[in-house]
Amino acid sequence: MSQIQWFPGHMAKARREVTEKLQLVDVVIELLDARIPISSQNPMIHEITQNKRKIIVLNKADLADDHITKAWIHELRTEEIPVIAVDSQHQKGIKQLQQLIRQQMKPYHDAQKAKGIKPRATRLMIIGIPNVGKSTLINRFVGKNQTQTGNKPGVTKQQRWLKIGKDFELLDTPGILWPKFEDPDTGKKLAITGAIKDSLLHMDDLALYLIDILREHYPETLMERYRLSHEQLTDASSVDLLLAMTRKMNLQDNYDEASERFIFDYRQNRLGEISLDRPSEENS
Ligand code: G4P
């Protein structure tokens, strides 16, 4: 795989912008892709969000393996940081997320009330790598309940807030952090799920990598979709499997085209719900 270069300047700028916005919010929502909760996490995020109330949201849960998503929720959550799976596109889990935010804020609000202070609306921001579903979640979160938008002075410029009912105010622009990876597998997973541009990696490399994952964890899917035999799956090399799939797609030996179709099938959810990152222990 070719080495992908990340510009330290961009990273520093993104970090600065996110850190500034963080000062304005009560709770930060870290959005991850449920299929790749580790690969879609920006490594700086722990440091940047220290001392902030945080909720980890595993988005695109409709595309991920439910069993693995549950295991991830178990593995990632801590006493301070709850984890929830949502499907922003189909508006699933949004109410539960709002409930979780209320729970996060409850001790603080109780303390405020004890001092005779009426709690104000909870200020939120969504943060995550490109394409993880930030805009979709903002739209779903706001829904039809948005009553007005308001301005508040930010550190560098005016920030626009979306008011949601009387309980929440959401920053209208999410925090964007770039994925960073030293390990080539992370890059491949980001490319397969569509988080980074295809042109950065070779499609056949991605296809071979996905074949290996499916062969290990979802063999039936591979057999059924591409009409491969059990023997092929156990005995053939990944390259031979890709060639067999190419023929089943009637593409003769055009395995570049077949690789593209295969990755597209994955992205379009035609292979079913498949998780690419797996927790160290798959809790059953
Ligand atoms: P971003 O702001 O973080 O960059 O992401 P954005 O909301 O634009 O979402 C990126 C793509 O992911 C969008 O597809 C969106 O519809 C899809 N998406 C977001 N949340 C979910 C989810 O929970 N489930 C599923 N299945 N898809 C989700 P798009 O722009 O239409 O691109 P595409 O559909 O052509 O890939």
Side-chain angles (χ1 to χ4, degrees):
M1 188 189 90
S2 56
Q3 189 62 45
I4 296 167
Q5 297 297 325
W6 299 101
F7 300 107
H10 287 173
M11 287 281 198
K13 184 163 179 271
R15 183 195 170 115
R16 212 168 39 244
E17 283 177 5
V18 168
T19 311
E20 281 174 2
K21 285 183 183 173
L22 272 174
Q23 295 171 25
L24 309 173
V25 303
D26 302 305
V27 180
V28 58
I29 296 170
E30 182 187 359
L31 201 58
L32 302 174
D33 185 320
R35 297 166 296 176
I36 48 168
I38 298 301
S39 304
S40 59
Q41 196 165 43
N42 178 289
M44 295 189 302
I45 193 119
H46 295 296
E47 206 189 315
I48 302 178
T49 59
Q50 257 178 20
N51 311 320
K52 267 280 154 204
R53 289 182 203 90
K54 183 164 92 168
I55 295 176
I56 293 179
V57 175
L58 305 180
N59 191 38
K60 307 196 186 188
D62 55 314
L63 305 179
D65 181 339
D66 214 28
H67 171 74
I68 300 298
T69 301
K70 287 200 175 88
W72 274 122
I73 290 175
H74 195 267
E75 179 144 322
L76 294 174
R77 75 176 168 213
T78 65
E79 240 169 72
E80 294 81 31
I81 307 172
V83 182
I84 184 174
V86 307
D87 164 4
S88 302
Q89 195 166 51
H90 306 100
Q91 186 98 30
K92 290 197 179 132
I94 309 300
K95 286 223 168 78
Q96 289 87 333
L97 171 59
Q98 295 182 347
Q99 203 46 41
L100 217 47
I101 299 167
R102 288 192 186 94
Q103 280 169 24
Q104 278 276 73
M105 290 302 290
K106 192 172 183 306
Y108 176 70
H109 284 164
D110 287 348
Q112 294 277 87
K113 282 180 202 157
K115 287 189 220 155
I117 303 167
K118 191 169 171 272
R120 58 160 172 73
T122 299
R123 290 182 194 147
L124 308 163
M125 101 181 251
I126 294 170
I127 184 169
I129 66 167
N131 224 26
V132 73
K134 296 180 296 299
S135 316
T136 311
L137 179 60
I138 289 177
N139 286 332
R140 295 300 178 267
F141 206 95
V142 170
K144 295 190 185 86
N145 298 323
Q146 186 196 339
T147 49
Q148 54 175 284
T149 58
N151 288 327
K152 283 192 186 67
V155 179
T156 49
K157 56 180 177 233
Q158 292 264 308
Q159 303 288 344
R160 267 167 57 87
W161 296 83
L162 305 168
K163 281 183 156 254
I164 302 142
K166 56 178 175 32
D167 286 353
F168 303 114
E169 291 178 356
L170 176 63
L171 261 188
D172 75 333
T173 48
I176 303 173
L177 288 173
W178 308 100
K180 184 171 190 283
F181 44 92
E182 271 90 40
D183 142 44
D185 286 357
T186 306
K188 287 179 190 162
K189 289 173 189 169
L190 288 164
I192 290 171
T193 54
I196 59 173
K197 282 206 185 93
D198 296 341
S199 54
L200 290 171
L201 293 146
H202 295 295
M203 274 295 185
D204 51 345
D205 275 346
L206 299 183
L208 292 172
Y209 186 71
L210 186 56
I211 286 175
D212 286 341
I213 293 181
L214 292 183
R215 198 202 319 234
E216 190 177 348
H217 299 291
Y218 306 94
E220 280 83 18
T221 302
L222 209 47
M223 287 195 293
E224 278 165 29
R225 175 88 195 169
Y226 303 104
R227 288 165 287 133
L228 301 168
S229 69
H230 192 263
E231 288 67 40
Q232 278 176 303
L233 238 70
T234 44
D235 301 339
S237 69
S238 305
V239 172
D240 284 340
L241 277 183
L242 179 57
L243 289 174
M245 287 162 63
T246 308
R247 274 179 233 117
K248 298 281 183 190
M249 291 181 204
N250 292 322
L251 291 170
Q252 279 74 35
D253 55 3
N254 188 352
Y255 66 84
D256 278 332
E257 171 81 25
S259 300
E260 229 165 271
R261 280 200 203 171
F262 176 43
I263 299 298
F264 198 67
D265 280 349
Y266 174 79
R267 289 192 192 147
Q268 294 298 307
N269 208 21
R270 291 195 193 116
L271 306 179
E273 294 73 41
I274 287 167
S275 298
L276 303 182
D277 277 344
R278 306 181 82 83
S280 48
E281 274 181 46
E282 289 166 27
N283 309 288
S284 44

